[in-house]
Amino acid sequence: MNKLKILFVTSEIAPWVKTGGLGDVCGVLPQALRELGIDVRLLVPYYPALAQAFPAAKRIAELGDLGGKLPPAILRQAKTASGLPLLLLDCPTLFDRPGNPYLDADGRDWQDNALRYGLLSRVAALLGSDANPLPWQAQLIHCHDWQTALAPAYLKYLGGARARTLITVHNLAFQGLFGAAMLAELGLPPQAWQIDGVEYHGYLSFLKGGLQHADWITSVSPTYAREIQTDAEGMGLAGLLRWRSEQLSGILNGIDDDLWNPATDPQLKVNYAAGNLRGKAANKRALQQRMGLAEDSRMPLLGIISRLTEQKGLDLLPPLAAEIAALPAQLAVLGSGDRELEQAFRAMAQKHPGQFAARIGFDEGLAHLIEAGADMFLMPSRFEPCGLNQMYSLRYGTPPVVRSTGGLADSVVDCIPATLASATANGFAFKAPTATALLSAIRRAILAWHEPAIWRQLQHNGMQRDWSWRAPARQYAELYRRLAAA
Ligand code: ADP
Ligand code: GLC
């Protein structure tokens, strides 16, 4: 049987380039698909981190004349340790920059992001067209978020035979909006400037181009796939998404259950598993030590690991500082993002030393220790397409306290008598995006934490469910087959 050939195209791949869950997903899902017998190759910019990891990546094609002001580039090839073939888009003028892939050192978008991700999309389209210079021809191009969303648009306007296209929406809040002048610079034809093309209220929208022209659209949880079709959550694209609802579905993300496994995680002080949770106490102590919190096992410890942005609802917490301190509870925050929120968490920690602690920055090792050492994990997101941290915490026996939205609603089962009876309860969920609702969920969680039998049941229910990519990868594989056959 011929293997299905899929080109994955992404702007992030963990562990090398990651600003959030997109990197995690693109770092693991392709491997899970390969294990199902699918020939997946992954196209990603040759950022410095990848150039360092794969210095000997072989040149396999010279790409010139891509239209507009898109610069020429080189395509290189390498393989990850687990055997995933990488196609590395080498264009030093656009991608040889350190740090965050999207932002300069001052936290501003790179001015030429349209060209940078336009080139990535354009090259994906080239590989899916009949002008493909490689001996390997993809049957389907799987795009992720705005950074690669122009690929289906390019394919449509290039004409000729083409691969099928799928776009996964990881976050509708990021749409890739640029000035109208970019149309020509990106080498898109004038007829693309239409309401059913890439034009969006006078701007050129990468994401709209993908949502309009991809053969299929997925989002990263069934609930978010429904939410984005409502005016309240559709971020201006609900009408288009409703129009495409027959070709739109939700597949809940999985997690890398080798990397996030409390039984083997090298970042933990003591490894542990569902059958033996005693090791969790030592991780709590280690976390308290590392973050300068009082080493008190009787104090419930709330953990947070997050981008600090409006999406995550963490602005609800600083106004609750006095109430949380009085519960009493400890709080360990790891995150970075909005300067104001960073400052608010620093101030909370200064005002309540030993009880609240904040680490501003990105720290993978500490993230693992928080998942293991915290008693419960907070995610009061305003919206959450999927969310991975709540699944990591479920796997680590750290019941999450979440706002019931998107993927949080699809993974966290609120602890109430009925869900305890059915052995499905695994955390705490609240509805209103308010500080009061959050506080009352935290209170409920702390009450349950003081009831060891209930708490152990919550931990077990979370730890025993399969959060891996195995089932979701099969759903993607089935969708690929259906699209490729159409
Ligand atoms: P999002 O992609 O919206 O940021 P997710 O929950 O899907 O949210 O994924 C976030 C990923 O980024 C997780 O792997 C999480 O551990 C990681 N992460 C976020 N902030 C930090 C941080 N400050 N330090 C370490 N890891 C972080
Ligand atoms: C986005 C979303 C997050 C999701 C991640 C991976 O960053 O904000 O909810 O888990 O993508 O799909």
Side-chain angles (χ1 to χ4, degrees):
M1 197 178 78
N2 276 342
K3 283 191 170 187
L4 202 55
K5 298 189 191 63
I6 307 292
L7 179 70
F8 228 75
V9 49
T10 174
S11 59
E12 297 186 26
I13 173 173
W16 302 284
V17 188
K18 155 173 165 179
T19 69
L22 173 65
D24 285 346
V25 170
C26 294
V28 220
L29 173 57
Q31 194 50 38
L33 289 163
R34 281 169 52 79
E35 283 159 22
L36 295 176
I38 296 179
D39 179 3
V40 183
R41 309 199 179 184
L42 185 141
L43 173 67
V44 62
Y46 200 42
Y47 302 112
L50 286 165
Q52 217 174 1
F54 304 99
K58 202 170 104 203
R59 295 164 82 108
I60 53 167
E62 315 257 334
L63 311 173
D65 217 5
L66 292 164
K69 292 206 172 139
L70 294 170
I74 290 164
L75 210 51
R76 296 177 182 272
Q77 190 175 313
K79 247 188 198 165
T80 67
S82 58
L84 174 71
L86 300 178
L87 299 169
L88 299 158
L89 179 58
D90 186 2
C91 180
T93 53
L94 296 185
F95 297 120
D96 186 10
R97 300 174 197 175
N100 183 297
Y102 318 119
L103 310 175
D104 65 19
D106 298 322
R108 280 182 304 243
D109 287 345
W110 292 112
Q111 274 189 10
D112 52 356
N113 272 347
L115 275 187
R116 298 173 75 228
Y117 295 105
L119 181 73
L120 180 61
S121 301
R122 177 67 183 85
V123 170
L126 175 73
L127 302 185
S129 74
D130 45 17
N132 170 27
L134 305 183
W136 181 85
Q137 180 83 42
Q139 291 161 278
L140 179 139
I141 301 187
H142 187 170
C143 306
H144 298 268
D145 275 353
W146 75 266
Q147 298 89 326
T148 57
L150 274 190
Y154 277 118
L155 277 172
K156 149 123 181 151
Y157 299 113
L158 285 171
R162 63 166 186 91
R164 314 295 291 172
T165 53
L166 165 64
I167 180 159
T168 295
V169 179
H170 294 262
N171 196 330
L172 202 63
F174 302 108
Q175 303 187 352
L177 294 182
F178 301 96
M182 288 313 299
L183 188 78
E185 297 202 13
L186 288 166
L188 283 164
Q191 73 265 29
W193 194 256
Q194 281 178 23
I195 187 142
D196 57 358
V198 301
E199 191 267 343
Y200 179 78
H201 299 293
Y203 289 90
L204 186 157
S205 167
F206 273 51
L207 186 60
K208 185 177 172 194
L211 298 179
Q212 193 77 47
H213 297 303
D215 293 306
W216 198 271
I217 302 166
T218 59
S219 190
V220 288
S221 69
T223 297
Y224 191 62
R226 283 192 301 275
E227 288 170 345
I228 55 178
Q229 298 179 55
T230 65
D231 291 334
E233 315 247 17
M235 309 236 168
L237 290 165
L240 168 54
L241 288 163
R242 280 197 294 271
W243 175 68
R244 297 236 42 201
S245 63
E246 300 282 299
Q247 300 96 31
L248 166 59
S249 55
I251 299 178
L252 189 71
N253 285 334
I255 65 169
D256 182 338
D257 62 347
D258 288 328
L259 189 65
W260 295 94
N261 180 355
T264 55
D265 191 331
Q267 306 285 354
L268 306 197
K269 183 79 180 173
V270 174
N271 291 114
Y272 60 92
N276 179 3
L277 280 162
R278 276 199 310 277
K280 227 175 164 306
N283 289 302
K284 177 169 177 179
R285 220 164 24 247
L287 177 60
Q288 286 170 324
Q289 254 168 26
R290 180 140 161 208
M291 300 213 46
L293 295 167
E295 286 176 50
D296 183 347
S297 64
R298 291 156 316 167
M299 184 90 94
L301 171 48
L302 317 177
I304 291 174
I305 304 157
S306 190
R307 290 186 291 117
L308 301 178
T309 65
E310 161 91 13
Q311 173 189 345
K312 302 292 177 180
L314 291 168
D315 50 298
L316 299 178
L317 268 174
L320 293 175
E323 277 99 332
I324 293 174
L327 286 171
Q330 292 182 333
L331 181 66
V333 181
L334 168 62
S336 63
D338 293 353
R339 299 290 177 260
E340 258 176 55
L341 260 179
E342 292 182 349
Q343 201 35 50
F345 281 111
R346 279 203 193 95
M348 264 174 95
Q350 263 157 18
K351 187 144 182 231
H352 302 269
Q355 198 169 356
F356 296 164
R359 289 286 173 281
I360 304 304
F362 203 92
D363 186 337
E364 292 274 350
L366 183 56
H368 285 248
L369 187 60
I370 292 178
E371 292 290 7
D375 291 303
M376 49 205 90
F377 191 86
L378 301 187
M379 256 173 113
S381 306
R382 290 211 164 69
F383 69 95
E384 195 62 74
C386 178
L388 297 173
N389 274 309
Q390 84 279 12
M391 294 198 265
Y392 300 150
S393 66
L394 285 161
R395 183 119 209 275
Y396 277 60
T398 307
V401 179
V402 306
R403 190 166 101 75
S404 189
T405 179
L408 298 174
D410 292 342
S411 53
V412 178
V413 181
D414 190 33
C415 175
I416 54 171
T419 55
L420 278 172
S422 60
T424 50
N426 61 17
F428 298 84
F430 62 97
K431 282 254 155 59
T434 62
T436 322
L438 169 59
L439 183 62
S440 91
I442 294 175
R443 277 189 208 283
R444 282 202 293 132
I446 290 176
L447 279 176
W449 183 74
H450 284 294
E451 305 261 355
I454 293 186
W455 199 254
R456 260 197 309 278
Q457 198 197 327
L458 291 178
Q459 291 179 304
H460 278 248
N461 292 347
M463 293 178 92
Q464 263 144 12
R465 208 167 123 179
D466 179 5
W467 300 105
S468 77
W469 273 105
R470 279 177 287 276
R474 276 197 297 274
Q475 289 177 267
Y476 277 107
E478 204 175 294
L479 178 60
Y480 292 165
R481 288 209 177 87
R482 206 149 42 81
L483 292 172

